Structure formats: C-alpha cells, structure tokens
Amino acid sequence: MSEIYKKIDEVIKLGLASFMKSEGFKKSARNWHKQEGDNWLVVNVQSSSGNIGAEGAFTINLGVYNAEISSLAGKAPLTGKPKEYEATVRERVGVLAHGVDHWWKIEKESELSHIAQEVVEEMKNYGVPWLNTHQSVSAIAESLEQQPSLESLSAAFLSGGEAAAVLRLKKAIESRPRAKNRYVSWAKKVGLNNDLG
C-alpha cells in the first residue's frame, strides 16, 4: 500500500471511523452502511485516481438507496449492501459544505489530525443531515427533479402522483429523446400510457 493510502486510512482512523460508529453505521473497508427499514444510507471515502507517493486527495460520497423507488424503476432487488454508486440519490459532502466539488488534499506537511477534524465537522453538519433528510421519497424526488432517469420518474410518481410523474416524463423525453422507448415502457408499466398525449 502506498504512503498516501496509509495517510488517508490514518485520517479515517483519527475521526471519521468513530464518528460514523456513533451514528449507527457499520464500516467495511472505506464504506459505511446503515439500514433504515428497506432503505440504506451509504458513505464512501474515494481516493483520487491521481494519488501518488506521499501526496494526494480524497473525497466523501453519500448515497441513499430507496428500495421502493428502485423497484418501481425496474432495478433488480439488492443482494447484500448497496455500493454507493448503486444508491437512488447521491451527493458529495464537499458540494454540500462548499457549494462545489471539494477534495481534501494531503501533502507532506499536512497535519492529519486537522484534516480528520474537518472531515468529521462536515459530516456532522452536512453529510449525516443530508442522509437523514433523504430517507423520504419526497426529498429524493425533489433532489432528482432535474435528472432524466427512471429513478427520478419513479420518485415523482410515488411522492406526487400521476400528474407530477407525467410532467417529469415529458421533460425527460424532451431532454433525452433517444431514451424515449425506455421512458414510455416505464410509463405503461405504472399505468401512465393514457396521459402522454
């Protein structure tokens, strides 16, 4: 294992690991999971692909896997815990805290305990609250509003009913005409085929 990966693991050990445990999450490698009913809250520490030697960067990905939305979107049922990229709705802590994608840099002179403290503060103030608020179908539907995906359509259908789903469906077809057949198939499956006009 290169030195930078050891340093990232040390940052995790110095704060994030115990904080996530105190919030009820279970750790596996650089991932944490917490099950809430049929849903999962997921946190993942991602290393930069450009990491080399003793210097590099990492970011923190968040995800909420909603079983009801995923099922309606036609996804196969989970076997085991979801990966972060399988989550229904995803975000990065840095975007929530800084308004832009943020990566924590580790350099030779970096004080790892300071980075660890900042990571915990941002998870406490932004990460965990985001995960908790996105356990509801309506919050997921709102977050996915601009995304032309079957998950977005399914969330709209489950939270706002047929009218909300049809509106979002028409926008999705307009923005991604090549995926029209997929969207129309989904609409027929949930009984919206008479509303496409």
Side-chain angles (χ1 to χ4, degrees):
M1 188 188 291
S2 71
E3 195 176 338
I4 182 60
Y5 291 103
K6 288 179 184 173
K7 286 184 176 183
I8 292 171
D9 285 339
E10 183 65 17
V11 167
I12 291 169
K13 188 178 167 186
L14 285 169
L16 188 60
S18 56
F19 171 72
M20 295 306 294
K21 188 176 181 181
S22 74
E23 292 289 328
F25 286 77
K26 291 184 177 165
K27 184 177 184 293
S28 172
R30 289 183 179 166
N31 302 287
W32 289 262
H33 290 85
K34 182 179 181 182
Q35 191 166 14
E36 297 284 358
D38 289 336
N39 305 323
W40 287 92
L41 312 185
V42 188
V43 176
N44 161 259
V45 173
Q46 179 186 338
S47 301
S48 168
S49 58
N51 287 354
I52 189 164
E55 300 189 333
F58 68 92
T59 191
I60 299 178
N61 303 311
L62 308 170
V64 176
Y65 174 88
N66 181 287
E68 189 180 17
I69 294 171
S70 188
S71 174
L72 193 62
K75 295 285 176 81
L78 274 182
T79 53
K81 299 172 183 174
K83 306 277 192 291
E84 180 272 331
Y85 59 79
E86 295 174 315
T88 311
V89 61
R90 302 162 66 198
E91 188 55 275
R92 280 188 171 155
V93 174
V95 173
L96 298 170
H98 303 274
V100 293
D101 194 13
H102 175 78
W103 291 70
W104 283 273
K105 288 186 173 67
I106 296 179
E107 295 163 336
K108 285 179 184 172
E109 311 78 28
S110 294
E111 186 59 63
L112 299 185
S113 61
H114 291 167
I115 296 171
Q117 187 178 355
E118 185 183 318
V119 166
V120 169
E121 282 302 306
E122 296 198 355
M123 277 301 296
K124 188 186 293 181
N125 295 328
Y126 300 97
V128 170
W130 184 91
L131 289 166
N132 289 335
T133 58
H134 283 82
Q135 290 184 57
S136 77
V137 172
S138 57
I140 293 175
E142 191 177 329
S143 278
L144 296 179
E145 189 175 355
Q146 302 305 319
Q147 188 185 103
S149 68
L150 295 182
E151 285 87 351
S152 175
L153 299 176
S154 298
F157 182 79
L158 290 167
S159 66
E162 292 189 10
V166 168
L167 191 64
R168 198 170 290 195
L169 177 62
K170 287 177 178 173
K171 285 183 183 173
I173 291 170
E174 195 177 299
S175 68
R176 292 182 66 192
R178 287 185 179 179
K180 180 178 179 178
N181 289 343
R182 204 158 56 97
Y183 296 139
V184 171
S185 294
W186 173 88
K188 286 178 179 173
K189 184 180 81 172
V190 301
L192 292 180
N193 49 319
N194 296 326
D195 297 309
L196 295 176

